[in-house]
Structure formats: structure tokens, C-alpha cells
Amino acid sequence: MDRKGLAQIIYQICTVTLVAIVVGAAASLAAIGFVESVHYLNGQLLISPYARVLAEGRPLLVAAATLLVPAAGGLVVGLIVHFLIPERRGLAPPDAILAAQTSGPAPGFRSGLASSFAALVSLGSGASVGQYGPLVYLGAMFGSLAGRLRLNLRHQRSIAIACGVAAAISTAFNAPIAGLVFAHEVILRHYSLRAFAPVTVAAATGYIVANVIFDRPALFLVSFDRVEHSYEFLFFAVEGVLCAGLAWAFMRLLRASTGAARHYIAWPWARPAVAGLAVGLVALWIPEVMGIGQETLRFATIEGAFGIGELGLIIIAKLAVTALCVGFGFVGGVFSPALLIGILFGAFYGLVLPYLIPVPHSGLVVYAICGMMALASSVIGAPLTTILIVFELTRSYDLTIAAMVAVVFSNLISYRVVGRSLFDLQLRAWGFDLSLGRDKAILENHRIRDYLSREFTAVDESESVGGVRQRLVDDHRAEAMVLEETGALLGVIRVQGVLNSPAAMPARDAMITSFTTFDEDTSVWDSMDMLRGFLGEAVPLVSHSGRLLGVVPEEAVIRAYLEIVHDLREEENEAA
């Protein structure tokens, strides 16, 4: 290797490491600031259980805050989304996935800031949405900014986005390995050393910032010795299947809520306020439905904290309220609600099981944790991440194995019933379908018009066949495009079809009117499919009005396919 090549490798290693550290530190600090701001607002607005306990002597104030704060927060969120975010919706993990998978323009920094502020207001005012979705996009936003720098790094934007996401998850869960795997499993959808090294550095940076510098507390602390009986692994598998059904119900409720909001409320900016008022009304009787619910999550692992009836009521209420908040336009994620609903369902399952099957069990904790991770993994499509979160938070091998069984069976069912994740369903609705792999999705995202050629023979419909034949010979081409005066494509004349035609015959009588055409929206994937059985030199590409814009040679379609697939394989397999 010469000096120039060695210098280039050293530059790339040093630059990508520096980018990973800077993006990781920025995403981690932003995540900590976001979480602390949510906790501060929850305390000031009487949303958190601790603040409500302190205000017990003023029941009217607590009731008024319960009703009015979510509704007022919803109004503010609706106005922010409607007037400050060009996309007219809160940005979320699917936007991060799309930005990492495609080369198209990502949402702007203004949109990201406005969306993060709307999420802060949503969570601070007690909406039943999650904080991890906004944290993921917050990390992706810093990565996207780093991706705009001219650093001469291949796949710079996607790697920088993955770094930001990994650091945010690492900070949020105190789980750097889970952050690393989440970035690959959900955002990048591949494991290459080119991305693996910097994303690892970013995840470790987030963990250092959160734990060494700020000493952040863990999400929850549990005490568990071991699974006492081998037959309980069958119970964990059954729990996973039940959680898959619950995940399906959760996603159906989200879709139904979104449709109801559009159908019944004409003003988009008012929808979150209506949902906030509904949250307040439910919270007057079931306060556990408000906010992130971290205290409820921790209590769910304590024997005797909730009865069977209480758990059932909270689960149903939390499902309905979360679907209402997300569907009606509050900005936030679904990971936190899925964790809470899952752990409550797991605790419910653990309490009911002894009545159904009166044999010795290993206690409530293991069933609660299994339920939490089984449901969450089905919703976000990250089974490896959720398993690692259990291990990193609990350091319990037995608890991790039990959760792994539940997660596997939950994902086996949910993948076939609803797809890989809620994120993939949202991306599919936007026209980016990952269900058949990232190759197809990315090929569908590239337009064949980028390979357009303007070198073609154009003839008038009144021109003679003899003249067309001579022009094709002079141009060394096998076909001509018959156009109107306006430039609209009427047909195609192929030289082999008019070899024996009378020279005086008008072109309009010799042209082919049924032939393959591309339009401005035809993708590379669609163009390959449309070439099945194609006989010709090039495919005309016409505008939506029918005007000929140019042609795409058959060779260009194949070249486009090979170039894009080669670039994907290089991204997935190159070491540096």
C-alpha cells in the first residue's frame, strides 16, 4: 500500500471516530436534557405521582390540573405541528429509518427542533405517549447534521444517523450494547464493520456521558434469583403468544384512532386537545394512564402493588388512551407505552396463572419482565435489542433467557400477523416498503428518470415511412418516436416492422400504438419488472401530460439496477 492510500485510511478512521464521539456526546446530552425537562414539567404541572401526593391537601387543584393540563398541552402541540412543522406531523423513528436508508432530503433541522419541542410539551402535559421515539429522532437529527459535512466519507449520513440513535438509546436505557444493536437492527438493517465500529463508539460515548459524568439511574431495578421450574419456559412461550395478540390489538387501535380523528375532527390542530381532554377525564379515575408511567412500571414488579382487577383496568385504559393520543396527533413514541402495557400485562398474567395452573411458580418479576419485552419487541420490531436491554439492566442470565423465550414466540406470531413492526407499517404507508427487504425498498425509491437519455430519433406523424427509414439508417438506430407538434408521444416505429412497407406510407399508419412506457414516477424496481418480454431499443419516458421527455435504453435500466445493488452490498459488507 502506498503512502497516499495509507494516509487516506488513517484519515477515514480518525474522522469517523471523531464524528462518532461528537454525535454520540451531543445526542446523549440532548437526551438527558429532554428527559429532565419532561420530569420538571410533570412535577410543575402536577402530572407525576410524587407531585400529586404533595398536593393532596388541594384536591380541586389536582382535579383541575388533571383535566385542563393535557387539553391545554394538546392545543399547544396542535398549533406547533400545524404552523411550525412543514410535514404537518411529529417526526419519529420511521423518519430516521427513511433518512438512513435513502439519499433523498431528510426533514430539516427546523422541523426536528419543532417536533422535539412538541414532544416535550406532549410528555410534559401528561399525554399517554412515549419518550423514546422522540429521543431516537433527536439522535438522528444530530447525525443528519453531521452527515451534511463534507468529510469525504462513504455512507456518511447513514452511519452518522445510526451513531446518534445508538447514543440516544444507550443514554435512555443505560444499555450501550442494546443501543448499538438497535441502531443496526432498526435503523440500518445490516451489520457491517464500516458502520459497526463508529456506532459502537457512539453508544459507548452515550453510556459514559449518562453514567460516568451524570450518574443516571437505571430504568428499573429488580431482584430475581433464577427460574425455579423447567416447565415455566412453556408458560413464558404462551405469554409471548398472548403478547403478540396484544400487540396486534394495540396497532389496530392506533390505526382506528387515526382514522376516527380525520373523520370526526376537521381541524387537525384541534385533535390533540380533544385527546388531551379525554386523557384528563380518564385520569380522574385512573391516574396511571397519564404520562410515561415510569412509577407504574416500577410498581408492576412488586408483589401486592396491584390486584388482578386493577391491572386489567389499567391495561385496557392505557391501551385506549395511548391509541387516542397517538392517533389524534400528540407527538411522541409508542415504545414507552408498549413497555408499560407489556409489564402490566405480564404482571397480570403472573397473578392469574396460579389460579389457572396451580403449580409452583418463580414469582411475579419474571412474568412482568417477559411481558414487557415481548410486547415492546413486537411493536418496534427489535427482538435482539429488547433481550439485551433485559440483560444490561438486570445482569440476570436466567431472567434474560426467560425474556428471550417470550420475545421469540411473540415475534414469530406478530411478524406473520402484522409485519415486522409498527415503524415498517408506517413506512409502507409512505411508499417505502421494507417487508420484502431493503433491496426492493431502495430500488423502489430510485426513479428511472435519473437515467434518461435525450438521444433519440423523433419523427412527425405525417412523415413518410421511406423518410423515417433513411433517418434511422443515418442515426444508426432501430426505432423512432412519432410525436405530435406539441411533443406528445403518439407511437413508435421499429425498423424491422417497416422494412417491406411502401415508402410513401405515412408514419401514423405504420407506427405501433401499444408499447411499454415509463413515466416520471417509475422506479428502478418497476422498470425492471416492466421489461419482462420487452422487445426494443429503448423505453420512452413520458410526462404525466403525455409529452415525451426522453428514452431509457434497456442497458441503462440494467445498469441502474446493478449500480444500486452493488452500492448496497458494498455498504453491508465493506470493512472500512
Side-chain angles (χ1 to χ4, degrees):
M1 183 181 296
D2 58 14
R3 288 186 177 182
K4 185 176 180 181
L6 180 62
Q8 180 66 19
I9 291 175
I10 294 173
Y11 166 78
Q12 289 182 345
I13 293 174
C14 294
T15 304
V16 78
T17 302
L18 182 61
V19 168
I21 293 172
V22 172
V23 170
S28 182
L29 290 171
I32 292 171
F34 185 90
V35 172
E36 289 300 316
S37 298
V38 170
H39 289 165
Y40 175 78
L41 287 175
N42 285 169
Q44 294 298 309
L45 299 175
L46 301 181
I47 301 300
S48 69
Y50 180 71
R52 295 166 75 87
V53 168
L54 292 180
E56 274 186 350
R58 293 177 287 176
L60 289 178
L61 177 62
V62 173
T66 302
L67 274 175
L68 299 179
V69 168
L75 182 60
V76 173
V77 169
L79 294 174
I80 292 172
V81 171
H82 190 72
F83 291 106
L84 297 182
I85 303 179
E87 291 79 4
R88 296 292 188 270
R89 58 176 177 79
L91 302 179
D95 294 285
I97 297 171
L98 198 60
Q101 294 293 334
T102 66
S103 57
F109 188 68
R110 171 190 164 186
S111 295
L113 283 180
S115 182
S116 297
F117 182 62
L120 178 62
V121 175
S122 298
L123 290 158
S125 60
S128 182
V129 292
Q131 66 178 356
Y132 300 117
L135 292 183
V136 165
Y137 191 78
L138 200 58
M141 185 173 67
F142 286 103
S144 185
L145 286 175
R148 298 178 187 177
L149 301 175
R150 296 181 179 179
L151 301 175
N152 194 29
L153 298 173
R154 288 186 60 78
H155 311 296
Q156 179 178 325
R157 186 172 81 167
S158 62
I159 292 175
I161 287 172
C163 286
V165 170
I169 292 296
S170 174
T171 301
F173 286 101
N174 287 342
I177 303 176
L180 162 69
V181 173
F182 180 87
H184 286 277
E185 189 176 24
V186 176
I187 304 299
L188 292 178
R189 306 297 177 102
H190 66 80
Y191 294 86
S192 70
L193 188 58
R194 175 188 291 275
F196 192 84
V199 174
T200 302
V201 171
T205 301
Y207 180 77
I208 291 169
V209 170
N211 286 270
V212 178
I213 299 177
F214 289 98
D215 193 23
R216 302 284 298 168
L219 178 64
F220 57 83
L221 297 172
V222 296
S223 177
F224 182 74
D225 294 327
R226 62 190 181 89
V227 178
E228 299 287 347
H229 312 283
S230 59
Y231 54 76
E232 289 188 89
F233 286 96
L234 177 60
F235 301 157
F236 303 146
V238 172
E239 184 177 8
V241 173
L242 294 175
C243 284
L246 194 60
W248 172 83
F250 185 39
M251 294 189 216
R252 289 296 298 267
L253 280 172
L254 289 173
R255 185 183 302 177
S257 175
T258 302
R262 292 172 180 169
H263 183 74
Y264 291 109
I265 303 176
W267 305 290
W269 53 268
R271 293 167 187 164
V274 174
L277 184 60
V279 169
L281 289 170
V282 175
L284 288 175
W285 287 273
I286 312 173
E288 289 85 359
V289 301
M290 297 184 74
I292 302 169
Q294 286 188 348
E295 295 83 359
T296 306
L297 186 147
R298 291 168 183 146
F299 274 110
T301 61
I302 300 173
E303 297 274 0
F306 294 109
I308 293 175
E310 286 179 290
L311 286 171
L313 185 62
I314 297 171
I315 291 167
I316 294 171
K318 189 68 177 177
L319 273 170
V321 168
T322 301
L324 192 71
C325 287
V326 175
F328 275 58
F330 270 111
V331 179
V334 294
F335 195 8
S336 297
L339 289 173
L340 179 57
I341 294 167
I343 201 169
L344 291 171
F345 178 78
F348 177 84
Y349 179 81
L351 290 177
V352 170
L353 194 60
Y355 294 98
L356 300 176
I357 306 176
V359 295
H361 299 80
S362 298
L364 182 69
V365 167
V366 64
Y367 292 98
I369 298 301
C370 285
M372 176 172 68
M373 294 310 174
L375 180 63
S377 66
S378 293
V379 172
I380 68 168
L384 290 177
T385 300
T386 53
I387 292 168
L388 287 169
I389 286 173
V390 175
F391 184 72
E392 291 192 271
L393 289 181
T394 66
R395 303 294 195 271
S396 170
Y397 190 75
D398 273 35
L399 195 55
T400 303
I401 296 298
M404 183 174 69
V405 172
V407 165
V408 166
F409 278 88
S410 177
N411 281 264
L412 279 174
I413 303 299
S414 64
Y415 183 84
R416 285 159 177 76
V417 174
V418 296
R420 175 166 174 164
S421 71
L422 178 63
F423 303 152
D424 281 17
L425 293 178
Q426 292 171 322
L427 287 169
R428 189 186 306 172
W430 300 348
F432 191 77
D433 187 2
L434 284 163
S435 61
L436 296 179
R438 63 193 299 260
D439 289 25
K440 180 177 182 292
I442 291 173
L443 285 165
E444 285 184 329
N445 197 252
H446 282 77
R447 298 287 170 257
I448 199 64
R449 65 170 178 262
D450 296 336
Y451 297 83
L452 184 70
S453 170
R454 300 192 184 280
E455 296 182 1
F456 58 89
T457 300
V459 300
D460 185 79
E461 60 180 323
S462 61
E463 194 168 337
S464 69
V465 166
V468 172
R469 280 200 299 254
Q470 186 59 48
R471 289 186 58 186
L472 288 175
V473 171
D474 295 341
D475 293 345
H476 303 286
R477 295 198 177 95
E479 56 191 21
M481 305 296 151
V482 183
L483 307 180
E484 286 184 340
E485 291 183 3
T486 60
L489 179 65
L490 294 175
V492 174
I493 291 180
R494 296 195 175 108
V495 68
Q496 67 269 27
V498 294
L499 286 176
N500 299 318
S501 299
M505 178 187 289
R508 73 171 71 89
D509 296 335
M511 68 183 181
I512 302 168
T513 57
S514 179
F515 50 90
T516 301
T517 61
F518 298 151
D519 61 33
E520 296 171 271
D521 298 323
T522 302
S523 67
V524 174
W525 176 272
D526 292 334
S527 66
M528 286 292 292
D529 191 56
M530 293 167 69
L531 283 184
R532 295 176 187 270
F534 173 74
L535 296 175
E537 190 174 57
V539 179
L541 194 150
V542 298
S543 68
H544 295 302
S545 62
R547 189 170 61 87
L548 181 68
L549 300 178
V551 298
V552 182
E554 188 174 10
E555 170 275 332
V557 176
I558 298 171
R559 174 163 46 87
Y561 178 87
L562 293 176
E563 285 177 355
I564 295 168
V565 171
H566 177 268
D567 192 54
L568 285 172
R569 295 295 169 264
E570 183 183 68
E571 179 188 353
E572 292 171 358
N573 299 307
E574 274 197 353

